[in-house]
Amino acid sequence: MQTNPTHSSLVAVGDSFTEGMSDLLPDGSYRGWADLLAARMAARSPGFRYANLAVRGKLIGQIVDEQVPVAAAMKADVVTLVGGLNDTLRPKCDMGRVRSLLTEAVERLAPSCGQLVLMRSPGRQGPVLERFRPRMEELYACVDALAERHGALVVDLYGAPSLADPRLWDMDRLHLTGEGHRRVAEAVWQSLGYAPEDTEWHTPMPTTVPPGWAARRAADARFARQHLLPWIGRRLTGRSSGDGRPPKRPDLLPYGDAPAAADAGQV
């Protein structure tokens, strides 16, 4: 790994985590860790180019079919790949198939870019994580093995105590808040060899008084009504939140001017 490197291009591949949900901007669009990372890298490299092929709700098979060939053809300096977690959250999940598809993705991307970056995605504290933890850890064991085999970097967000804090997750309990995405961007930034801008990104937030019983029950009811029931409905009907949605940033194009990129990276 280089120290204080310079990269001229970044391609991000994945699902809603990489698309940037739920780091909401005033215009209703999502920013997210990949945009923040690209802004920082652009500030150091004139003419920096960035593509984000991620689409919310995508399973690893869809990522392999729809995004991986496009990303490989772009020949970027850095490619980030995060996928498979949506598969593990399905009631029926063939982990053998997930591992095979993830392997295919890595084998196609690693030779096509300067540096492939994989991740052990963060997990929010709570019963959902505990229910699916065995599948997630099987997925991450595969990530570690593939990284060692193909010279990829692994950013361990799953092992970061700060990112398990429910306060860093949106009310849908599936996506990080803006502060969570900022910490992820910092983690990837440091893993690529850049000098830290926040040495405490992995440190848990200060302890606060937890909400009372009534507030927690109200939040549970709101979560079920606004997020859980629609999610179940999509599963039962075979639909996805990403159906018909194009990639966030499909072309590898220059990403803003340096001053603007620097400002965006400091949010």
Side-chain angles (χ1 to χ4, degrees):
M1 183 177 64
Q2 293 177 286
T3 301
N4 292 323
T6 298
H7 297 106
S8 64
S9 54
L10 168 68
V11 176
V13 174
D15 51 33
S16 59
F17 174 66
T18 300
E19 184 183 341
M21 297 174 71
S22 290
D23 185 9
L24 192 64
L25 293 171
D27 65 359
S29 63
Y30 293 110
R31 180 177 51 183
W33 65 266
D35 284 10
L36 291 170
L37 177 66
R40 288 191 185 186
M41 296 170 77
R44 286 175 171 258
S45 179
F48 179 84
R49 297 175 300 150
Y50 169 50
N52 190 325
L53 307 179
V55 178
R56 65 193 70 173
K58 293 298 183 181
L59 302 174
I60 186 62
Q62 294 169 310
I63 291 172
V64 169
D65 290 343
E66 300 167 11
Q67 299 179 34
V68 168
V70 178
M74 289 178 172
K75 305 291 184 181
D77 284 353
V78 177
V79 173
T80 65
L81 167 64
V82 188
L85 195 59
N86 281 335
D87 297 78
T88 70
L89 298 177
R90 297 292 177 105
K92 296 181 180 179
C93 173
D94 182 347
M95 286 303 299
R97 182 173 184 272
V98 171
R99 293 194 306 272
S100 176
L101 288 165
L102 184 60
T103 299
E104 180 182 347
V106 170
E107 289 178 346
R108 295 183 69 178
L109 289 173
S112 73
C113 66
Q115 180 63 66
L116 179 62
V117 178
L118 308 176
M119 296 188 201
R120 295 159 57 93
S121 302
R124 182 185 188 275
Q125 292 176 353
V128 173
L129 175 62
E130 293 309 314
R131 178 180 178 185
F132 295 104
R133 186 185 295 275
R135 290 180 182 175
M136 293 170 63
E137 294 187 347
E138 184 177 348
L139 175 67
Y140 299 153
C142 181
V143 166
D144 290 343
L146 288 169
E148 183 175 0
R149 194 179 311 150
H150 295 279
L153 295 176
V154 177
V155 183
D156 185 13
L157 306 174
Y158 181 71
S162 63
L163 293 176
D165 191 324
R167 291 173 293 177
L168 289 180
W169 293 75
D170 190 49
M171 69 173 61
D172 67 2
R173 305 182 183 182
L174 287 174
H175 301 107
L176 291 168
T177 62
E179 172 60 15
H181 279 282
R182 185 196 67 78
R183 292 180 183 229
V184 172
E186 179 67 33
V188 183
W189 173 260
Q190 292 184 26
S191 295
L192 285 169
Y194 292 100
E197 295 187 11
D198 175 11
T199 58
E200 302 297 324
W201 72 266
H202 57 282
T203 301
M205 297 172 65
T207 302
T208 58
V209 177
W213 183 89
R216 295 198 304 272
R217 297 296 77 76
D220 288 344
R222 184 167 58 252
F223 160 71
R225 182 177 64 254
Q226 296 181 6
H227 301 286
L228 181 59
L229 292 177
W231 183 85
I232 292 173
R234 290 194 297 271
R235 298 291 80 75
L236 293 175
T237 57
R239 294 178 293 115
S240 168
S241 58
D243 288 347
R245 183 175 293 274
K248 180 177 184 177
R249 186 180 171 88
D251 299 311
L252 188 60
L253 297 173
Y255 191 60
D257 56 82
D263 290 344
Q266 293 170 0
V267 174

